[in-house]
Amino acid sequence: MFGHIPTFFRTAHTTLTASASSGDSVSLTVGSSTGFGKGVNFQIVGSDEEGRDMLQVESVTDSTHIVVTNLPRNYASPDRN
């Protein structure tokens, strides 16, 4: 896509602060849940081995936790060693 990006294409950005295991109704621990809300779709991007998936927010439980409807694979936090 080139040129101006309409507002509805802009999304919130955050980072996982803890690893997440696959499953239904998975709680993700993130740096900030600001900008996320029920029904919002977003893309999670992992390392080359993990890939990327489209997710839908089921709920936002607090300022650092987002529950997604389904997480199809495991994702590690970025600071893993």
Side-chain angles (χ1 to χ4, degrees), residues 2 8 11 14 18 25 32 40 42 45 56 59-60 62 68-69 76:
F2 296 96
F8 61 89
T11 59
T14 193
S25 296
S32 172
V40 170
F42 68 98
V45 179
Q56 184 176 59
S59 65
V60 177
D62 60 34
V68 297
T69 55

Side-chain angles (χ1 to χ4, degrees), residues 1-11 13:
M1 180 183 295
F2 296 96
H4 175 73
I5 299 176
T7 304
F8 61 89
F9 281 117
R10 295 182 194 149
T11 59
H13 298 282

Side-chain angles (χ1 to χ4, degrees), residues 10-80:
R10 295 182 194 149
T11 59
H13 298 282
T14 193
T15 304
L16 284 178
T17 58
S19 298
S21 298
S22 63
D24 294 328
S25 296
V26 174
S27 179
L28 303 179
T29 305
V30 295
S32 172
S33 62
T34 301
F36 293 90
K38 182 176 179 158
V40 170
N41 293 310
F42 68 98
Q43 184 177 58
I44 186 171
V45 179
S47 67
D48 291 338
E49 302 84 37
E50 293 167 338
R52 63 182 63 198
D53 293 295
M54 288 299 295
L55 305 178
Q56 184 176 59
V57 177
E58 186 173 294
S59 65
V60 177
T61 54
D62 60 34
S63 64
T64 59
H65 292 89
I66 300 168
V67 178
V68 297
T69 55
N70 178 277
L71 187 64
R73 68 184 92 211
N74 297 335
Y75 283 88
S77 63
D79 60 350
R80 65 186 183 272

